[in-house]
Amino acid sequence: MSGPHTIGRWIRDRARTTPERVAIDQDGRLVTYRELDEGSDAFAAAFGEHGLRRGDRVATLTGSTPEHVQVFYACAKAGLTLLPLSWRLSPAELRYQLDDAGPAVFLVEDVYEEAAVATGHGFERLAAPNGVRPRDMRGGDASVAEVVDEDGLLLIYTSGTTGRPKGALLTHANCFWTNLSFDLTTGVNQADVVLQVLPQFHVGGWNVQTLLAWWKGATVILEREFDPARALRLIEEKRVTTMMGVPATYLFMAQQAAFADTDLSSLSRAVVGGAPMPEALLEAYAERGTAIVQGYGLTEAAPNVLCLPPEDAVRKLGYAGKPYPFVDVRLSPEEELQVRGPNVFPGYWRNEEATAAVFTDDGWLRTGDVAERDDEGFYRIKGRLKDMFISGGENVYPAEVEAVLHEHPHVTDAAVVGVPDERWGEVGVAFVVCDGATEAELLEWCRGRLARFKVPKAFRLIDELPRNGMGKVQKQELHVTEVAP
């Protein structure tokens, strides 16, 4: 038995209804709904044979693959929680998350074996059980754990102002309601062909289009990584109808020489999140017949909070939209956007202090973003209470980068700020007080300890950081006149 809003039943129901329909197309490799269901049953049975029990964590380090999707649904069926680790992280960052989450098993794709070894954690290779391909698999006796709506399903680590990542635990109910609200606003239907280029270590890689697509019976063109030229070819060749990306995704595609000649007539809508879509990009895609759906969210809300439908995209340029169905929002006296609804997570993994801090006394989720609401009910994000910037769609928290810089033996003080960048939206610039280290040495230090998108693009060596009477760094006084390309 399982709860009414548990996700494992989605693939069981869909496989029963349309077993031979294609669920995943990865570079010409086709996986049907029957194979997806049976493969996840086999993984669930294998987890049970390994002694995993309801509530255990399954960590993965892999690109987006059909096997990873099967592992996800196996976890959903067996009451396990999937921890999809980012292959962009350094071994030290991976080690911290593994130590914190304490997974019962760590599954690694061959291409990331070197990084896995460097974490010091034992692991197993991620392949179909018994080394066979999904189409050769038959479901074993899947775990018969009683899964309930409140059980954890995804554990997604997100950085924080303390400099240490926190594990946001998303339940089956969180994922159910966020997908339902998305469907009621700008959904997916069974005839859709969905191009998925977001990595599966992001909540958006699951809860923005893909899980909904598999619930509805659509076909997902599953890409391991984003390549703008290849994405354009796939849209034309596979007749892609919808996709999701960050503004940089659509910018890089529009910058391709082939953009003007590629047949985009099938791409009726494209969802964008992470930052507002520039007006020039909206116009570029509108001219090709593609409607852009702007969204706003955060991992802790699983992630969907606000949505700006295509009919308002130009009229309300710069706005994040209105709340999704089942989602309530409000502005605090400090104009912080706060969220309430069944999509909001229960808290951070084994971190009561951080959980208490992110909720108000009456149970609303603090987003850390300052917003305003107009007379029509549309919300616009004005800035961030959190000291965070977005680079290429990735959240970068300066405190985490500053903590790494402070570990350098010659660094006595450091502050990181985000500055505008034509290519990535924003990049980091580090202001460093040190006694001997060069900019090149600081760059190499960060590269060895941080994901690439977190590494500052430039370093400024200064004598001291500006501080107020309380000793707080005054980042508004740190001016950047130019950042080399």
Side-chain angles (χ1 to χ4, degrees), residues 402-414 431-443 445 449 459-464:
E402 291 160 2
V404 168
L405 285 168
H406 279 109
E407 293 172 359
H408 192 286
H410 295 293
V411 171
T412 58
D413 214 349
F431 292 82
V432 183
V433 180
C434 63
D435 58 351
T438 66
E439 295 179 17
E441 290 171 345
L442 294 173
L443 176 61
W445 178 268
R449 293 162 176 79
F459 294 81
R460 301 286 189 267
L461 303 182
I462 59 178
D463 294 330
E464 64 178 1

Side-chain angles (χ1 to χ4, degrees), residues 135 168 240 250 258 286 304 309 314 319 321 334 384 419 467 473 477 484:
R135 66 175 56 257
V240 170
Y250 301 105
N304 302 317
V314 175
Y319 280 78
E334 297 77 26
R384 303 180 183 93
V419 299
R467 297 180 182 273
V473 176
E477 297 182 22

Side-chain angles (χ1 to χ4, degrees), residues 7 10 60 64 68 72 82-88 97 153-159 166-179 181-182 196-214 222 244-246 271 273-274 295-305 324 342-346 348 365 393-395 397:
I7 307 304
W10 286 9
T60 56
S64 300
H68 198 212
F72 169 87
L82 177 66
L83 165 59
L85 295 166
S86 169
W87 39 261
R88 293 178 177 173
Q97 294 186 15
L153 178 58
L154 283 169
L155 185 58
I156 307 289
Y157 274 77
T158 177
S159 298
K166 303 183 294 292
L169 182 66
L170 301 178
T171 67
H172 286 256
N174 294 151
C175 295
F176 177 94
W177 290 104
T178 203
N179 277 282
S181 68
F182 185 89
Q196 176 52 268
V197 298
L198 293 182
Q200 291 179 334
F201 55 74
H202 267 187
V203 65
W206 299 103
N207 279 339
V208 183
Q209 290 196 330
T210 43
L211 286 185
L212 179 60
W214 291 319
L222 187 62
M244 161 63 184
V246 298
V271 180
Y296 163 85
L298 64 162
T299 302
E300 291 85 347
N304 302 317
V305 175
Y324 279 92
N343 59 313
V344 173
F345 81 145
Y348 295 110
L365 173 68
E394 298 276 4
N395 290 354
Y397 289 84

